[in-house]
Amino acid sequence: MKTEIIKINREQFEEEELEAAAKCLREGKLVAFPTETVYGLGGNAFDATASARIYEAKGRPSDNPLIVHIAEIKALEELAVDVPDAAYHLADAFWPGPLTMILKKSPRVPKTTTGGLDTVAVRMPSDPIAAALIRCSGVYVAAPSANKSGRPSTTKAEHVIEDLDGRVDVIIDGGAATIGLESTIVDLTGEVPLILRPGYITAEQLAEVLGEVRFDEAVLKKSPSENVVARAPGMKYRHYAPKAPLYIVEGRNEEVIRYINAEAVKNAAEGRITGILATEETKKCYTGGMVFCVGERANAESIAAGLFDTLRSFDETGVSVIYSESFADNPLGTAIMNRLLKAAGYHIIRLKKDEEK
Ligand code: AMP
Ligand code: MG
């Protein structure tokens, strides 16, 4: 399949520029497009064949449901039944934006789109290109992240081309995604709202609107041996992994740097290159290895925005092992560490504090 790449300037474009891509969606074809979270791989959510093509293009397991993207609030009534008031309150507060709600699905949504579930995930993106594309297409757009299953999500069109060129009909290049982490997912189908995936919208922000909100147990797990089954089917799969094994090093800043520098020396002696995921503040402290800067610690959002891009960067370098600093104390730490822990297969090296030695 020949993939058409359409460049759009997010700051200034006419809807006509999206018409060819919108037509593809109406015809059951696949269009990758930017959103404010990550790039999405879109198809008509009411067309089971289009959804099946999404799973195939990504190599995604068919029990891992797709998020349906909408441009207007009234779409909720067509996609879901028994929509609780809480959904409208959340929509008021956070839509358009990086929040996905799980609701009881309407019979019109094919089970292929929902991975066989009786619930449906819905989000209204704020990115102007995403919003215009959905509006222009006149369909609801099922769109998981536009990466090959298992790889880090895509935050730039170059990443999408790397993973999906020749496998989808159109890729819209709208520049870098601003947030860089996938949406927060909140399940509104139970007694108490449950966060199934942490994201840019935090638990505290949700609690302000909902009162009580809890984390699904699987979200907080710190090791693969904890035997809890994720309610968001996608969260049980290995994800985001760079090619080389990745270790998160936790401890005081100086200790982390000392440890990673020592490992880099050892590895170099064995002819192996060490990849290091560092920050603006620390990158100069590393004396060996191949250092990539993810963002600025002082700017929480820059770390989120740079994470997937940096994880992907290591793949072209031939590093045999990667060490990453930890971001647990970042204001977006819950969301960032959720992705980083998965990328690392839950491998954490915890350094003892000097006084504990
Ligand atoms: P992605 O679009 O690649 O960010 O993945 C979508 C995420 O949403 C996956 O982790 C899915 O398991 C989750 N998801 C989608 N629909 C549902 C649903 N109906 N119930 C629970 N989780 C869902
Ligand atoms: Mg994904």
Side-chain angles (χ1 to χ4, degrees), residues 231-266:
R231 277 169 195 260
M235 301 300 276
K236 71 175 181 255
Y237 292 107
R238 182 153 157 74
H239 222 147
Y240 312 126
K243 288 183 189 142
L246 167 68
Y247 296 89
I248 302 168
V249 187
E250 262 182 19
R252 284 214 329 261
N253 239 348
E254 319 81 81
E255 286 178 311
V256 168
I257 291 163
R258 203 184 314 140
Y259 176 88
I260 295 177
N261 278 336
E263 288 302 306
V265 169
K266 266 194 257 166

Side-chain angles (χ1 to χ4, degrees), residues 60 64-67 102 117 119-121 143-145 182 185 196-197 231-235:
R60 182 174 176 109
N64 187 0
L66 312 177
I67 295 175
I102 308 293
L117 299 177
T119 52
V120 60
S145 51
E182 309 89 335
I185 302 181
L196 307 191
R197 178 172 72 186
R231 277 169 195 260
M235 301 300 276

Side-chain angles (χ1 to χ4, degrees), residues 43-46 68-71 74-75 78-79 134 137-142:
N44 179 356
F46 280 163
V68 181
H69 292 68
I70 62 174
K74 68 172 198 285
E78 289 188 49
L79 291 164
I134 300 165
S137 71
V139 299
Y140 304 133
V141 182

